[in-house]
């Protein structure tokens, strides 16, 4: 009888105090569009957030089937540059503390980021955008902490 009471009390305690494992945060739902810009013979991929929840930029990173660099628009001093392409690029990439992409703390509908492949040819490149439950650390290409990354967009140019 005592054992039954102890087991029952433990079970009720778990529900009341929510001691069990926490559910993982829900990844944001977004829709993106893309276009290719020819800039001095180089392909630059413009990716625009069309709809969905505003997403914290410090938790976003992008990968490509080719190494890519993320940056500002063509002609901008912080423009994407194929010389700095890597397998993963964080949205808040910065060498001097100022993010290369000037979209602020969140990526909102209507805002565009620019990507350039390592060989300046975007044909057939597959782009994947990921959201992480924790901020992406480091400068370039950024280090992803933990196993809680979710692919929130994918497309092939």
């Amino acid at each position: 009888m005592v054992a039954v009471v102890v087991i029952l009390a433990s079970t009720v305690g778990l529900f009341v105090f929510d001691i069990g494992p926490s559910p993982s945060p829900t990844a944001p739902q977004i829709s993106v569009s893309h276009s290719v810009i020819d800039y001095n013979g180089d392909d630059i991929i413009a990716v625009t957030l069309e709809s969905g929840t505003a997403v914290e930029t410090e938790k976003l990173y992008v990968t490509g089937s080719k190494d890519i660099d993320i940056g500002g628009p063509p002609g901008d001093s912080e423009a994407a540059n194929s010389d700095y392409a890597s397998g993963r690029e964080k949205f808040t990439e910065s060498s001097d503390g100022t993010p290369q992409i000037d979209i602020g703390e969140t990526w909102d509908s209507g805002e565009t980021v620019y990507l350039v492949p390592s060989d300046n040819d975007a044909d057939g490149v597959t782009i994947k955008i990921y959201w992480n439950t924790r901020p992406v650390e480091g400068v370039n290409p950024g280090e992803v902490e933990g196993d809680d990354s979710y692919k929130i967009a994918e497309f092939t140019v």
Side-chain angles (χ1 to χ4, degrees):
M1 181 91 144
V2 172
V4 170
V5 170
V6 169
I7 291 172
L8 212 74
S10 298
T11 304
V12 169
L14 285 174
F15 287 110
V16 170
F17 296 111
D18 194 22
I19 297 174
S22 316
S24 295
T26 305
Q29 302 296 310
I30 66 168
S31 174
V32 299
S33 65
H34 69 279
S35 61
V36 176
I37 301 167
D38 181 344
Y39 184 72
N40 295 332
D42 295 335
D43 287 346
I44 298 178
I45 306 165
V47 183
T48 302
L49 180 62
E50 293 296 334
S51 64
T53 308
V55 187
E56 292 177 83
T57 51
E58 70 179 2
K59 294 182 178 182
L60 291 171
Y61 66 96
V62 61
T63 65
S65 56
K66 293 180 184 177
D67 287 352
I68 54 172
D69 185 49
I70 191 168
D76 187 84
S77 63
E78 297 294 333
N81 184 332
S82 62
D83 292 340
Y84 302 108
S86 63
R88 175 180 55 247
E89 292 283 309
K90 66 187 248 181
F91 268 53
T92 54
E93 175 183 286
S94 171
S95 55
D96 66 357
T98 305
Q100 275 186 250
I101 56 171
D102 190 24
I103 59 174
E105 294 180 10
T106 59
W107 191 23
D108 298 303
S109 291
E111 292 182 319
T112 302
V113 297
Y114 300 88
L115 309 170
V116 62
S118 55
D119 63 359
N120 296 306
D121 181 10
D123 189 41
V125 175
T126 298
I127 301 293
K128 298 176 184 177
I129 300 172
Y130 291 89
W131 175 80
N132 198 52
T133 57
R134 300 182 193 146
V136 180
E137 300 294 328
V139 177
N140 183 18
E143 298 172 17
V144 180
E145 299 285 327
D147 295 329
D148 295 329
S149 288
Y150 301 91
K151 181 173 55 175
I152 58 173
E154 179 178 0
F155 60 88
T156 301
V157 179

